[in-house]
Amino acid sequence: MRILVAEDDEGLGAVLVRGLREQGYVVDLVSDGQAAVSYLTLYEYAVAVVDWRMPKLSGLDLVARMRREGSAVPVLMLTARDAPADRITGLDAGADDYLVKPFNFGELLARLRALQRRPADARPPVLSLGELTLDPAAREVRVGGLQPALTGTEFGILEILLRRSPGVADRRMIAMHVWDVESDAFGSNTIDVHLARLRSKLAGAGVRIETVRGIGFRIVAT
């Protein structure tokens, strides 16, 4: 799942990116609000982690702009401002949650999981098909009572397929949402290799991953 981190503190940004990637997230890091606006037009994010004080466009103005333009991406606001009035200002601007610096990384992860459990639209919080269930917030996949050992990449591909089912997820969409640099996967057989492994791990799940020639892939119940 893809997360946007908008943080102008280079050291903190690097720590967040490293920690989130270790948890299996695909992360884009930007250092100013205008860059965040550009990225939000390119990608579909599960959550945005936004610093209040950024150059070019503040986190507060960024969130307000997102809500004016109809973006429902959940936002976790990071700030050193801990006065109640500041928290109220951030939440009223459109932030979904608020975390005061310095913070514990484990708490940040818990807050991100909580935000992902809030359905922003009609998508169910837990995706299911056949005997297969996928919980995006808990990052768990179950086949019946078993948990197949999926890599972060396999989990990301499966989530995209389930969200699009019974429609088709094209190759570029998969590359954009699962790889930090989409060109690493798009135009090569990398996606096919991961899908072959994923198919073998989902044996007995009552689903089939089909290749739609020239377009992409879809997952259907058998």
Side-chain angles (χ1 to χ4, degrees):
M1 185 55 65
R2 200 171 199 106
I3 289 180
L4 176 65
V5 175
E7 171 59 65
D8 67 330
D9 183 314
E10 184 176 341
L12 178 57
V15 169
L16 290 173
V17 170
R18 183 172 63 251
L20 290 169
R21 285 177 177 166
E22 287 174 354
Q23 295 297 314
Y25 293 104
V26 174
V27 187
D28 291 322
L29 174 65
V30 297
S31 59
D32 66 76
Q34 288 291 356
V37 170
S38 299
Y39 271 74
L40 285 161
T41 64
L42 291 174
Y43 298 104
E44 179 182 338
Y45 290 101
V47 181
V49 179
V50 175
D51 183 35
W52 181 306
R53 297 183 65 182
M54 290 189 296
K56 299 185 180 179
L57 188 68
S58 72
L60 199 66
D61 291 335
L62 170 64
V63 175
R65 175 171 175 169
M66 290 170 62
R67 300 312 182 221
R68 284 197 308 270
E69 295 178 353
S71 172
V73 175
V75 174
L76 174 60
M77 182 80 77
L78 302 181
T79 179
R81 298 169 180 261
D82 60 355
D86 293 324
R87 291 196 292 271
I88 291 169
T89 299
L91 294 170
D92 282 346
D96 297 273
D97 201 357
Y98 195 100
L99 192 57
V100 177
K101 302 176 183 177
F103 52 83
N104 178 275
F105 186 71
E107 182 181 358
L108 180 136
L109 289 175
R111 289 174 182 266
L112 292 180
R113 290 192 294 268
L115 288 175
Q116 290 177 76
R117 287 195 293 269
R118 300 179 188 177
D121 50 29
R123 296 176 302 183
V126 176
L127 307 171
S128 62
L129 186 68
E131 298 297 316
L132 172 68
T133 61
L134 182 148
D135 186 334
R139 297 191 66 78
E140 288 184 354
V141 173
R142 292 185 179 273
V143 176
L146 303 176
Q147 287 185 265
L150 302 189
T151 66
T153 299
E154 291 163 353
F155 184 97
I157 293 173
L158 181 59
E159 182 176 358
I160 291 296
L161 292 174
L162 287 170
R163 288 196 184 280
R164 300 296 172 180
S165 181
V168 177
D170 64 56
R171 288 176 175 271
R172 184 173 294 278
M173 177 189 299
I174 293 171
M176 286 176 62
H177 285 278
V178 181
W179 275 266
D180 290 302
V181 181
E182 62 188 85
S183 59
D184 289 347
F186 190 70
S188 70
N189 70 338
T190 301
I191 294 175
D192 301 87
V193 170
H194 285 284
L195 276 163
R197 295 171 182 164
L198 185 58
R199 287 185 176 105
S200 66
K201 293 181 180 182
L202 296 181
V207 299
R208 180 175 65 251
I209 299 175
E210 300 178 337
T211 300
V212 182
R213 190 175 299 277
I215 302 177
F217 306 90
R218 67 180 166 213
I219 189 168
V220 297
T222 55

